[in-house]
Amino acid sequence: MSTRILNLSRREFLAAGVRAGVGLTLGLSLPGVARVAETPSGQSGTLAPPVFAPNAFVRIGADDRVAVIAKHLEMGQGAHTGMATLVAEELDARWPQIEILAAPADAKRYNNLFWGPAQGTGGSTAIANAFEQMRKAGATARAMLVQAAARAWTVPEQEIEVSEGLLRHSASQRQATFGELAAAAAALPVPDEIALKAPAQFKLIGQDLERKDLWPKIDGTAVFTQDVERPGMLVAVVAHPPRFGAKVRSFDPVETLKQPGVRQVVSIPSGIAVLGDHYWAAELGRRALKVDWDERAAMVEGSAEISAQYRRRLEQPGVAARAEGDPDTLLARAARVVRADYAFPFLAHAAMEPMNCVIERRGEGGVELWYGAQVQTADQAAVARTLGLEPTQVRINTLFAGGSFGRRANPASDYVVEAAEILKAIEGRSPVKLVWSREDDMRAGWFRPAYMHRMEAVLGEDGLPVAWRNRIVGQSIAAGTAFESLLVEEGVDATSVEGAANLPYDIPNLKVELQTTELPVPIQWWRSVGSTHTGYATETFIDALAREAGRDPVAYRRALLAKHPRHLGVLALAVKHSQWGQPIAANRGRGVAVHESFNSYVAMVAEVTLEEGGRYRVDLVDVAVDCGIAVNPDIIRAQMEGGLGFGLSALLADEITIEAGAVVQSNFSGYRVLRANQMPQVRVHIVPSAESPTGVGEPATPVIGPAVANALAAITGRLYSQLPVRTA
Amino acid sequence: MQILTINGAEHRIDAPPEMPLLWAIRDLVGLKGTKYGCGIAQCGACTLLINGLPQRSCVLPLSATVGRAITTIEGLDDRVGQAVKSAWAELAVPQCGYCQSGQVMAATGLLSRNPSPTDAEIADQMAGNICRCCTYHRVKQAVRRAADALA
């Protein structure tokens, strides 16, 4: 494999070099900070000048340090390490000489190539979209270093070898570090074309390189938004309405302002903000605040009413997201129809770091923000609209995010806009750190929507399905957002039906229908999005059909997947490593599931023990994943482990309920999540592959639920269709 | 005025006695490694050691800690703590990292009291610390690795 590319013009390169020379030599290097490239505030890299800056992603200092500018948010998934690995591979750098700077908000240079002109991280796209781009960035830098060495030593470029951060000419026994050649390389034109390594030449890709954020996240020095301090900064908390749709009628700040350390109380569109010297002062001030809420426009229904409405809508046909053959007639005429109705609750993301954001006014009229920004371009535009600025006047310093699971890619930039509103309300007089409590975070909404599915099938004489109808009822995540034009087509939100409309099983009469509902509950993507419910419904239902036909669930799937080699590949690998088909105790069971999401394929075999009173324990999970070329196998294993844990939490415990427009749960006392003693042993098996890499952050999440439910079904014979499944 | 002993150093803190230790350490002392996650002793992100025992600093009033030895992640350098941190690195436990200082402190507290825990004891003791990245598989392995290294 050899790829030719066109590179930046020399003029752009020179401009980039000048910017980098200034930006990267300012300021302090704070250990553990996801340091930000090229900001004027001083939180930048510290490479020694002159700095070689061949493109937007690579900086090499005279001190032989290499900075990789990461365009993707590090929220735990390993994107920083992945970006750096791709650059270091083609640069032939030493891994320890690489450090990482977070890219500034600049969609021109740092857009997600899968998203057009938008910078952002999500949909398990980081490695996939940047695979060539980051390698080209590294290869370009390497080629220029080689050229500089060839000139300095007056030897042919072809005779120069690069390995582990050193350039060598063996005939003349000369060698140089990158740093020694940085100044000379910076004076050369950027080549127009560059060749990339063939996979057989990879040295770093495919290795378990140590994460660049490993030690700061062990010794407590990693800096999150919550840890940012600015001179004169006030901490803000906000009294939010208790019900969706309620507003402030009036408020009385007298008692709040008596609290020591409380500085100001201001009204903003989303509630009343209390600003204090530190969090505890602001929090006590909020507790003393008297707010009269105007609830005339507030949501009145709750989860029970929503469920009743959805059940009625399950009876009516929806918009077809896929239609092949004539399943309606077959279902109407069949002597026996297998049918199940599924219910999925609202789910909170509940990242360990509740939403927060630091914002301050800059001298020349713009603003600067520090937080775990996930879709910088959307947030930049939203803050600009809020404050009457141009997007380029909104500078974003992207820090480590304490988890996201989709939450920080908020279509309305909700908490970021709230921070901007507070800054506006105090006329920019001091920097503001907006801090949400756990309760604020959990009650704000932006949940994984509640859904219902009706699954119906007719089996043929061979026991395989001849007709399949899957009706889905739920809110659209994309409707009414900037993503609508991208994701909604002819009334079908792709995120509502993904994983169902592209069902891989070969069934001649097949229909997937969608009924899109509208509710005042704010909703958004939650790790693996549509597959959170479609993966569960389709994979438990296919298992139910196998039971109905009296067939082995693995053999049944194989019979229907002949056209899908990658599904078959992961299925075979997971089964091979498991004890599938071996004898097992009566109170124990094995279940299987296979599902593709975000172009990655995952199969799992779960072993489950049923205990007293219907309680159950997941003992062991064999996971097989096909994500193309494995850039960092250990990070892939970690994402499979964590991703399935996140999905297991939703099977075992997670549930948001709403009563009269108010969220019932407020903290981890009511919103139960997976804990260490519920986590199974996990064995991850990676399919060897030469395909382009695809994502790993999400694809494990939707597979564990059906694998475990199918294991329970193997013991009890029941189909578990109401989530969460707290007892079997 | 309260005097707290944190990582061996005395800090004079002008704050009401009912202020949670977490916020005093983070916002007044300026040690940011101890994290806020829930505020009601449900998640363990704020775990630190008081006289060697793991405590939830988000619900612990300042007044209850006067005269006691407080150890935060920044000051964790005893033999057990070092072994725990090494095991955490060997197994590459952290993902987003936000809960990890609490996990490391909880593991250190566990092994300080019980140097050779069973797998069930590790799972049950570490169940007090939520990780939404669900690094639990490696958390449990790392506690075992640290226990073996200390044995």
Side-chain angles (χ1 to χ4, degrees), chain A residues 680-703:
Chain A
Q681 187 192 345
V682 180
R683 300 189 297 211
V684 179
H685 317 287
I686 302 172
V687 174
S689 174
E691 300 282 337
S692 291
T694 49
V696 293
E698 297 171 273
T701 300
V703 190

Side-chain angles (χ1 to χ4, degrees), chain A residues 330-411:
Chain A
L330 283 163
L331 284 159
R333 291 183 183 163
R336 164 113 179 104
V337 173
V338 186
R339 174 180 291 154
D341 288 350
Y342 289 77
F344 300 88
F346 292 105
L347 298 175
H349 305 75
M352 287 312 295
E353 182 184 25
M355 298 304 105
N356 46 24
C357 183
V358 176
I359 185 169
E360 73 181 37
R361 186 160 71 176
R362 286 164 46 78
E364 60 268 41
V367 291
E368 185 160 1
L369 296 92
W370 291 260
Y371 67 107
Q374 190 167 351
V375 187
Q376 288 87 351
T377 306
D379 288 354
Q380 213 175 13
V383 170
R385 274 196 306 277
T386 304
L387 299 175
L389 299 169
E390 292 299 316
T392 51
Q393 293 176 286
V394 178
R395 292 178 178 267
I396 296 174
N397 302 284
T398 299
L399 307 181
F400 289 140
S404 172
F405 318 113
R407 180 63 178 86
R408 294 175 206 272
N410 185 270

Side-chain angles (χ1 to χ4, degrees), chain A residues 74-76 211 213-215 217-220 222 224 226-227 229 278-280 348-354 401-403 405 433 436-439 526-527 634 637-639 641-642 645-646 649 654 667-669 671-677 679-682, chain B residues 16 18-20 23 26-28 32-40 42-45 73-74 82 84-86 88-101 104 122-124 126-141:
Chain A
E74 179 54 69
M75 50 188 161
R211 287 178 70 123
D213 54 353
L214 177 70
W215 271 104
K217 288 177 173 180
I218 292 172
D219 65 17
F224 297 87
Q226 193 85 345
D227 309 326
E229 297 283 347
H278 50 76
Y279 177 80
W280 187 244
H349 305 75
M352 287 312 295
E353 182 184 25
F405 318 113
K433 174 157 71 179
W436 278 11
S437 66
R438 175 59 56 196
E439 290 81 3
W526 190 98
R527 196 174 192 172
D634 196 54
R637 286 191 287 272
Q639 288 307 299
E641 294 159 9
F646 201 75
S649 193
D654 306 359
N667 208 313
F668 292 119
S669 47
Y671 190 73
R672 313 296 291 187
V673 297
L674 189 82
R675 289 174 180 269
N677 56 355
M679 184 77 189
Q681 187 192 345
V682 180
Chain B
E18 67 277 9
M19 183 177 188
W23 296 110
R26 287 185 53 82
D27 288 351
L28 304 183
K32 302 292 195 185
T34 309
K35 297 297 194 251
Y36 166 78
C38 72
I40 57 167
Q42 286 287 312
C43 80
I73 187 74
E74 290 89 350
Q82 297 282 5
V84 168
K85 287 191 282 189
S86 295
W88 243 248
E90 285 166 29
L91 286 155
V93 175
Q95 291 186 24
C96 91
Y98 191 80
C99 75
Q100 293 294 335
S101 60
V104 166
I122 292 172
D124 286 342
M126 296 308 294
N129 289 67
I130 295 175
C131 173
R132 288 290 282 154
C133 300
C134 300
T135 59
Y136 303 126
H137 184 54
R138 295 184 188 212
V139 164
K140 291 189 284 188
Q141 289 179 315

Side-chain angles (χ1 to χ4, degrees), chain B residues 31 130 148 150:
Chain B
L31 294 172
I130 295 175
D148 291 348
L150 289 164

Side-chain angles (χ1 to χ4, degrees), chain A residues 453-493:
Chain A
H453 284 237
R454 171 163 292 176
M455 309 290 303
E456 295 164 291
V458 179
L459 303 188
E461 286 180 4
D462 58 359
L464 297 176
V466 293
W468 170 288
R469 190 167 64 193
N470 180 1
R471 188 173 289 163
I472 303 170
V473 178
Q475 287 170 273
S476 164
I477 293 169
T481 75
F483 301 93
E484 180 165 350
S485 60
L486 200 67
L487 294 171
V488 182
E489 201 174 333
E490 294 180 9
V492 177
D493 179 341

Side-chain angles (χ1 to χ4, degrees), chain A residues 64-273:
Chain A
D64 203 34
R65 289 154 63 205
V66 177
V68 171
I69 298 171
K71 65 176 187 171
H72 288 295
L73 169 67
E74 179 54 69
M75 50 188 161
Q77 84 284 36
H80 272 192
T81 299
M83 296 298 113
T85 302
L86 301 177
V87 169
E89 175 67 67
E90 296 287 348
L91 187 56
D92 281 311
R94 270 178 296 116
W95 187 238
Q97 81 186 122
I98 302 276
E99 43 199 273
I100 297 169
L101 303 174
D106 179 354
K108 283 200 182 72
R109 289 185 293 165
Y110 299 115
N111 61 314
N112 184 322
L113 300 181
F114 291 175
W115 293 3
Q119 182 179 354
T121 305
S124 296
T125 57
I127 293 289
N129 94 95
F131 185 60
E132 277 202 7
Q133 182 183 39
M134 298 305 287
R135 288 164 63 214
K136 285 170 183 168
T140 304
R142 181 190 189 279
M144 293 169 74
L145 290 165
V146 167
Q147 199 186 344
R151 287 191 181 191
W153 302 336
T154 55
V155 301
E157 288 180 27
Q158 302 89 286
E159 292 180 9
I160 293 174
E161 293 174 355
V162 189
S163 177
E164 304 226 355
L166 277 181
L167 294 95
R168 284 195 196 85
H169 184 253
S170 48
S172 63
Q173 296 202 322
R174 272 179 289 205
Q175 68 173 45
T177 64
F178 294 172
E180 285 162 353
L181 291 165
L188 295 171
V190 177
D192 289 335
E193 293 179 347
I194 200 80
L196 298 178
K197 289 181 183 176
Q201 298 170 285
F202 289 159
K203 292 176 184 166
L204 300 180
I205 291 173
Q207 303 298 314
D208 291 337
L209 296 180
E210 183 178 285
R211 287 178 70 123
K212 287 292 175 185
D213 54 353
L214 177 70
W215 271 104
K217 288 177 173 180
I218 292 172
D219 65 17
T221 56
V223 174
F224 297 87
T225 312
Q226 193 85 345
D227 309 326
V228 172
E229 297 283 347
R230 300 292 302 161
M233 184 183 85
L234 295 177
V235 173
V237 301
V238 176
H240 294 112
R243 296 164 64 194
F244 293 120
K247 298 226 174 303
V248 176
R249 180 180 288 125
S250 63
F251 68 102
D252 174 2
V254 171
E255 293 301 317
T256 297
L257 290 166
K258 286 180 189 166
Q259 289 290 331
V262 169
R263 298 292 162 200
Q264 205 169 350
V265 179
V266 292
S267 181
I268 57 171
S270 56
I272 305 296

